[in-house]
Amino acid sequence: MGVSATPRRSSVWRLTLGLSALTAAMLVVTMLLLYQLLVGAQQREIDRRLNDEAQELAELAEQLSPQRFADQLVIKLKESAVLFAWQGPDGMIGPFSLLPPNVPKLPNTAAVPVLDPRQKQLLLFTSGLVDTRHGPVMVAVSTQQLSRLNQQFVQTAAVASGATLLLTLALGYLFARRQLRRLRQFNQLAERVEQGQLDARLPFRTDGDEFDQLARHFNRVLDNMTASLDTVQGISDNIAHDLRTPLTRLRLGLEQRLDADPSLGQELEQLDTILATFEAMLALTRLEKGQRQVERQPVDLAALAEDVVEMMQPSAELHDQTLQIEGAMNRALEGDRNLLFQALFNLVDNAIKYAGPGATITLSADGNGITVADNGPGVSPAEREKLTQRLYRGDTSRQQPGLGLGLAMVRAICHAHGGTIRIESNHPGLRITLGLPSGEPARL
């Protein structure tokens, strides 16, 4: 049956996922490096500024009295963007009523929120304590801009990473679909060849990629295989054609001597089998080569099925089997009634021979075609693929009379009408359906 792979299950898609994971890892590393270069550099600049201010305050405290030190802090608060907080002799200098807790000593720092009365919002400051001769002083630098930069960087990195990954996955999915579409052509070619359409070929461009080169090689292999099969088939058909005349003469001679020697009846029967095999091989070749004209006329499927059942009913009863028509079969078909009758006859005859005693054989039809099914022992999946080959007979069928050409003829008739043959398990038993081309459910 057809191979229906999806892009998500293809090797191309798995390769895309691997590349996407690699891309994600590279994006993470790149973003970390950029973070260290941009945000990290800003943070280091803040730390350097705090340490410079701390060193300057320590030196001022060594040189000035507490009152003059307090005056210098007030001046710095007005002129500098650095925030200071100190418990002076006249009270707290800075925006706090007391020093915030849990502020570490420089060079360690901590984030401290400060309320801006003008903007009525909390501003973040990076702060640390410096020990001076007049007591600890908190030094803080605004990190509001750094915080916004950090937030913008994270948002930009997330959007860029997400967009890159989505684009990679989308392109990978589309690429996988395109590759699968081309691989599907090879699967369809294999199915058509498996169904006996040896003239099927793949389109390709002479200056194309590796798929076009593979298609060209496939076509060349099929050409060589078809030529070899035609040679072998031609030899066998020529042998059958050349031997048919002398064997027919030999049969006439044996038939004339039959009254005088009744023991020749067995030889005459074997000779009839050989002649029937040759006739069937030649008829099959004419049909496969298009040398047999296929008439296109409306055919009543119900009447056709009833004729087959009526003819094969005695044989089914002889094997203690039930042969029946299941469901309505009032659909009119367009095709060659004689060939369609032969196809149904061969399918029913095959089922009667191999379904076993007590089996039930049914003929049915739906929008997909005509089906002959039985509930016998069935056929293994490996053997089903060989049933429509010329002269193929499984080990279990060697004990049954036959030429091994019945299902090969069914396949040729089906293909001559533009259809297909599908062989599958009936759970239990065998189910053979003469399929219909898509878009023509009422025609075979």
Side-chain angles (χ1 to χ4, degrees), residues 122-133:
L122 287 175
L123 303 178
L124 288 178
F125 282 78
T126 297
S127 61
L129 291 179
V130 54
D131 286 330
T132 67
R133 189 166 65 91

Side-chain angles (χ1 to χ4, degrees), residues 301-310 323-329 361-365:
L301 176 58
L304 184 67
E306 290 173 359
D307 290 345
V308 172
V309 170
E310 182 180 356
L323 178 60
Q324 61 187 16
I325 297 176
E326 186 178 82
M329 300 187 70
I361 303 169
T362 60
L363 282 77
S364 61

Side-chain angles (χ1 to χ4, degrees), residues 15-301:
L15 178 61
T16 300
L17 292 180
L19 292 177
S20 298
L22 180 61
T23 302
M26 293 178 63
L27 280 174
V28 170
V29 173
T30 303
M31 294 303 173
L32 289 177
L33 291 175
L34 288 176
Y35 184 87
Q36 291 296 324
L37 290 175
L38 298 178
V39 180
Q42 292 287 335
Q43 185 64 52
R44 288 191 295 272
E45 176 62 23
I46 290 174
D47 294 340
R48 184 193 63 76
R49 189 171 183 183
L50 287 174
N51 289 322
D52 290 345
E53 292 291 345
Q55 184 178 359
E56 184 179 349
L57 286 175
E59 292 175 355
L60 286 175
E62 292 292 335
Q63 300 171 6
L64 302 175
S65 63
Q67 186 60 48
R68 294 189 63 187
F69 183 71
D71 295 340
Q72 287 295 323
L73 285 182
V74 172
I75 294 174
K76 280 182 169 293
L77 280 172
K78 294 179 180 180
E79 296 179 351
S80 175
V82 180
L83 184 67
F84 300 96
W86 175 59
Q87 181 65 52
D90 298 329
M92 193 70 186
I93 296 177
F96 306 105
S97 58
L98 51 84
L99 285 177
N102 302 325
V103 177
K105 291 183 178 181
L106 291 172
N108 297 323
T109 60
V112 175
V114 178
L115 178 61
D116 186 350
R118 291 174 297 179
Q119 300 182 7
K120 295 182 179 181
Q121 63 177 357
L122 287 175
L123 303 178
L124 288 178
F125 282 78
T126 297
S127 61
L129 291 179
V130 54
D131 286 330
T132 67
R133 189 166 65 91
H134 305 306
V137 181
M138 189 189 78
V139 184
V141 177
S142 175
T143 55
Q144 191 70 22
Q145 183 177 359
L146 179 62
S147 178
R148 285 197 298 269
L149 177 62
N150 188 29
Q151 184 178 4
Q152 292 174 357
F153 181 86
V154 172
Q155 292 176 349
T156 303
V159 171
S161 301
T164 302
L165 288 177
L166 287 177
L167 182 61
T168 302
L169 292 175
L171 292 177
Y173 187 83
L174 293 177
F175 182 71
R177 286 189 59 184
R178 179 178 180 273
Q179 298 301 92
L180 283 180
R181 187 164 55 249
R182 303 187 69 181
L183 288 176
R184 196 174 294 114
Q185 294 179 344
F186 288 86
N187 291 330
Q188 292 172 349
L189 173 69
E191 292 173 0
R192 294 174 62 186
V193 172
E194 183 182 3
Q195 294 167 0
Q197 302 179 28
L198 299 181
D199 57 341
R201 295 296 183 270
L202 287 169
F204 66 90
R205 295 177 302 174
T206 55
D207 57 344
D209 56 12
E210 63 275 6
F211 281 98
D212 293 297
Q213 297 177 13
L214 186 61
R216 186 165 61 251
H217 291 319
F218 262 71
N219 292 345
R220 188 178 301 134
V221 169
L222 287 174
D223 289 339
N224 294 335
M225 183 182 71
T226 303
S228 300
L229 290 175
D230 289 342
T231 300
V232 173
Q233 184 174 312
I235 292 174
S236 61
D237 289 341
N238 288 334
I239 292 175
H241 185 272
D242 292 341
L243 290 180
R244 185 173 55 176
T245 299
L247 287 176
T248 301
R249 293 174 180 172
L250 178 60
R251 185 189 183 286
L252 291 175
L254 291 175
E255 190 174 7
Q256 292 174 356
R257 295 166 52 190
L258 184 61
D259 294 336
D261 188 0
S263 63
L264 295 178
Q266 184 176 0
E267 283 77 5
L268 190 62
E269 182 179 351
Q270 293 178 352
L271 191 57
D272 286 339
T273 302
I274 296 175
L275 287 172
T277 302
F278 287 167
E279 288 292 343
M281 290 176 61
L282 293 175
L284 180 58
T285 298
R286 287 194 297 269
L287 192 60
E288 290 176 340
K289 297 296 184 181
Q291 299 171 356
R292 162 72 158 82
Q293 184 178 0
V294 179
E295 299 180 0
R296 301 278 180 174
Q297 295 180 353
V299 178
D300 188 346
L301 176 58

Side-chain angles (χ1 to χ4, degrees), residues 280 284 287 308 311-312 338-354 372 404-413 421 432 434:
L284 180 58
L287 192 60
V308 172
M311 179 171 290
M312 300 302 297
N338 292 331
L339 290 178
L340 293 176
F341 179 87
Q342 183 178 357
L344 280 182
F345 179 90
N346 288 354
L347 290 179
V348 174
D349 181 61
N350 188 76
I352 291 175
K353 287 179 181 177
Y354 307 120
V372 175
L405 295 172
L407 292 183
M409 179 63 74
V410 172
R411 184 187 66 177
I413 293 172
I421 181 172
I432 302 180
L434 304 185

Side-chain angles (χ1 to χ4, degrees), residues 383-430:
E383 193 174 1
R384 284 180 218 149
E385 301 178 358
K386 304 176 183 178
L387 291 180
T388 57
Q389 296 178 4
R390 281 190 176 206
L391 303 177
Y392 176 79
R393 299 177 67 197
D395 293 335
T396 58
S397 64
R398 293 295 177 183
Q399 307 301 323
Q400 299 288 347
L403 307 178
L405 295 172
L407 292 183
M409 179 63 74
V410 172
R411 184 187 66 177
I413 293 172
C414 199
H415 289 170
H417 286 79
T420 58
I421 181 172
R422 187 170 69 251
I423 304 176
E424 54 194 351
S425 175
N426 197 38
H427 305 290
L430 193 66

